[in-house]
Amino acid sequence: MGGVLSLHKLEKRKFLHLIDLIDAKMNMMNRALDKVKPGEFTERIYPLENRAFYKPVMD
């Protein structure tokens, strides 16, 4: 019984870890997009596979 409970806790921790990674990456992207004007690209963000993101012009 203890093994099943431990596996459940491990799966929950892994899931929470993945959610935390997504949150951190979204935060990095949003902070970079806040620094640029619409129609421009951000600087490259190394932790996000060295990508630059485009901030679209919203009419």
Side-chain angles (χ1 to χ4, degrees):
M1 185 75 176
V4 174
L5 186 58
S6 296
L7 182 59
H8 177 69
K9 286 182 181 180
L10 181 63
E11 290 173 350
K12 183 177 178 181
R13 289 177 184 161
K14 179 66 175 176
F15 183 69
L16 291 175
H17 173 70
L18 293 174
I19 289 173
D20 186 51
L21 287 176
I22 291 169
D23 182 56
K25 289 180 178 186
M26 291 295 295
N27 188 20
M28 281 187 272
M29 185 179 70
N30 287 331
R31 284 190 300 165
L33 286 169
D34 286 342
K35 295 178 184 177
V36 297
K37 296 176 185 174
E40 295 180 353
F41 282 90
T42 66
E43 293 182 1
R44 292 185 177 271
I45 306 169
Y46 183 75
L48 298 178
E49 299 178 1
N50 205 27
R51 293 182 179 182
F53 294 89
Y54 180 74
K55 185 172 190 174
V57 177
M58 299 292 203
D59 292 329

